[in-house]
Structures are given as C-alpha cells and as structure tokens.
Amino acid sequence: MTESMADFEKEIAASFRKLQQGDVLTGTVTNVDEDAVYLDINYHAQGIVKKADYSDDPSFSLQSVKVGDTVKAVVLADDDGEGNVSLSVKDAAKTLAWDAVRRYLEEGTVLTIKIGGIVNKGVITYVEGLRGFIPASHLDIGYVEDTNTFLGKTVEAKVITADEAKNRLVLSVKEVLFQKRREEKERKINEIVPGSIVTGKVESLMPYGAFIDLGDGISGLVHISRIAQKRIEAPGEVLHKGQEVKAKVLKVQDGKISLSIKDAEETQTAPKREKD
C-alpha cells in the first residue's frame, strides 16, 4: 500500500512537471535497442536518446549502455512526434563541461593537464572533454621559442577565458608560474625576522630613501631618516648603487620590509656588557 501511494505521488509530481529545451535531466536506462536508449526521467513521457545524440565517438556502441545505468541528458524537444522526450547525452556532457570550466575560471582553480597538440601560436589541450588553447605567450614566464618541446608534457594551468557561445577555451601556464613565484616570495619575506641584521646591495636611490636588494627577488626600503647617523638631504650623499650594506629589519608588513642602516650600525658599535 505504501509503495502504491509513493508511485501515485510520483506520477502526480511528474504530471505537473514542465520540461524546456536545454534542461539537463538525470535519467535511468529502461531499455536499449539498435538505434536508441530509453530513459525513465520521472516524467509522464519517457525520454529517448538516439545513437547519434549519445556520443560523437565513432567507436561508441549502444551495447555498452546497460539497463539501470544513470545518465545525464539535455532536452532537445519535449515531444519527438511519437510522445517521447527527445534527449541528448553528448550535449549534456558539453553543457556540464562548460559549467565546470566556468567554475574553474571563477575560482582560479589550478588544473593539471596534458599538452595534446601543437598549432599556430600555441598548443592544444583538453579540459572536461573540451578543446582548450594555450597561447605560446602563456606557456612560460619567459619567451617560448619552440612550442614543440611541450608536446606530451603535463603542465599546471588556469582557465583565463571560457566563452561557450564562441566555443573558446583559453588557459595559461604562466599565470600559475607567476602565482607560485608570488607565494614563494611571500614565504621568504615572512621568514625575515624583525630585529635581525641583513646584508644587501643598494638597488636604487629615491628622494625619500634607498631600496636594498636582499636577494631572491626581495628588496626592502631604508627611509632617508634611517640611512645615516647624521642628517642628510639625499640618499646619494652616503650611498651609491651596488654598494653592499648591512641593515636592521624594523618591520615586515603586507609584503613590505622596512630597514634601517643607522640602527644596524648602532647595534654593531654598541659596547658589550661584561659578564659578572
């Protein structure tokens, strides 16, 4: 009695349901013949997927589809002329794939992909079954002279364009490399301890101070008031580009390093206390 009531409620719900072209449904395979697959889609009419709408793979056979399988399909028409809902599994796969790559774009997901082909000005790869393009200018941080060296390689990349209407999917390896470089730089900066003495070379002189190259692409700023023990009007009075200096780390905040040459000199010249 309970099962009969549940079936009745299911039929009532299905009778009020409205399907539109483009809707993606989940159905259960109820029958398979030489030309089509039939699905229970919880609707007053059954769904039908013709072989041509199941897969573009020339080696695909409907014999691989089994009764009881669950598949996703997109509505082509709510009536194929014979009372069935016309569906496409391959179009649903594309729709879901585009949904996925748009999500990768929005979330900045780093994908591990394989380079599958070489074309003019770039390479080809596949994401969720969709053909993607990586321009040569986005294969590396530096200039790429020969894209053929990337064929068959596995790389990490981000989606930078996902335009379903234009069937345009573009990815970038360079974006991931830049991200890793930034993260590594941030890690090294955060390892610098305020109060420590560091050695670097004068990178550039500005009216307000001097930038000191600490190596590994990291630099810190010495404000003009922290360059010398005496008052100076311009950093160039006591410093020159390329000069090696020692500086004390005053502060590390928001990826910026504040240094003091004056405080480093005071630390080094301060008299040591004798032990009792």
Side-chain angles (χ1 to χ4, degrees):
M1 182 69 179
T2 304
E3 290 182 359
S4 298
M5 182 59 71
D7 291 340
F8 176 72
E9 291 176 349
K10 182 178 178 181
E11 290 176 6
I12 292 295
S15 66
F16 283 102
R17 189 179 179 195
K18 299 297 182 183
L19 297 182
Q20 295 182 347
Q21 184 177 1
D23 287 349
V24 177
L25 312 174
T26 299
T28 303
V29 178
T30 57
N31 188 30
V32 181
D33 61 26
E34 295 180 355
D35 302 312
V37 173
Y38 300 87
L39 303 176
D40 176 2
I41 55 174
N42 190 27
Y43 193 60
H44 62 77
Q46 69 175 347
I48 182 171
V49 184
K50 298 292 182 63
K51 181 179 180 180
D53 292 317
Y54 209 100
S55 174
D56 282 329
D57 186 347
S59 65
F60 172 74
S61 172
L62 288 180
Q63 293 180 351
S64 63
V65 183
K66 305 300 181 185
V67 172
D69 286 352
T70 299
V71 297
K72 290 186 179 295
V74 67
V75 176
L76 299 179
D78 61 359
D79 191 334
D80 66 350
E82 298 181 2
N84 302 307
V85 179
S86 180
L87 303 169
S88 172
V89 170
K90 68 179 185 181
D91 287 354
K94 289 180 181 178
T95 298
L96 295 171
W98 279 109
D99 287 345
V101 296
R102 279 192 291 268
R103 185 171 65 252
Y104 297 151
L105 173 62
E106 293 169 2
E107 298 176 357
T109 306
V110 176
L111 305 170
T112 300
I113 53 179
K114 187 174 182 180
I115 306 301
I118 307 297
V119 294
N120 185 33
K121 298 183 179 179
V123 301
I124 295 302
T125 187
Y126 288 87
V127 181
E128 302 291 344
L130 300 175
R131 186 177 187 268
F133 174 64
I134 305 178
S137 60
H138 278 269
L139 279 170
D140 205 342
I141 291 176
Y143 175 72
V144 174
E145 185 173 350
D146 184 9
T147 56
N148 288 287
T149 59
F150 285 85
L151 185 62
K153 284 189 175 181
T154 298
V155 297
E156 290 184 325
K158 283 185 174 183
V159 175
I160 57 175
T161 300
D163 190 334
E164 183 178 3
K166 296 181 179 179
N167 196 33
R168 180 172 171 78
L169 175 61
V170 184
L171 300 99
S172 173
V173 176
K174 182 168 68 174
E175 289 293 319
V176 177
L177 296 176
F178 271 133
Q179 177 181 324
K180 288 185 175 182
R181 178 181 285 186
R182 288 192 298 268
E183 291 173 351
E184 180 64 13
K185 184 177 180 179
E186 288 174 6
R187 183 187 66 78
K188 290 179 178 178
I189 288 175
N190 291 331
E191 288 178 350
I192 297 176
V193 180
S196 61
I197 303 298
V198 295
T199 301
K201 290 185 178 181
V202 177
E203 185 176 44
S204 62
L205 299 175
M206 307 297 289
Y208 51 83
F211 285 96
I212 309 301
D213 180 3
L214 302 177
D216 294 326
I218 299 172
S219 62
L221 174 65
V222 182
H223 188 267
I224 189 170
S225 63
R226 294 287 183 176
I227 290 177
Q229 301 296 336
K230 63 180 182 179
R231 179 181 174 82
I232 59 175
E233 298 297 327
E237 293 180 21
V238 293
L239 297 176
H240 62 267
K241 190 174 180 179
Q243 179 181 345
E244 185 173 285
V245 297
K246 289 186 180 296
K248 185 175 184 178
V249 179
L250 300 180
K251 184 169 62 175
V252 179
Q253 184 176 353
D254 299 328
K256 297 179 180 179
I257 306 169
S258 297
L259 303 171
S260 172
I261 295 175
K262 182 172 71 173
D263 287 9
E265 292 174 348
E266 290 176 350
T267 300
Q268 291 174 332
T269 58
K272 294 181 180 179
R273 296 180 58 185
E274 294 182 3
K275 294 182 179 180
D276 295 333

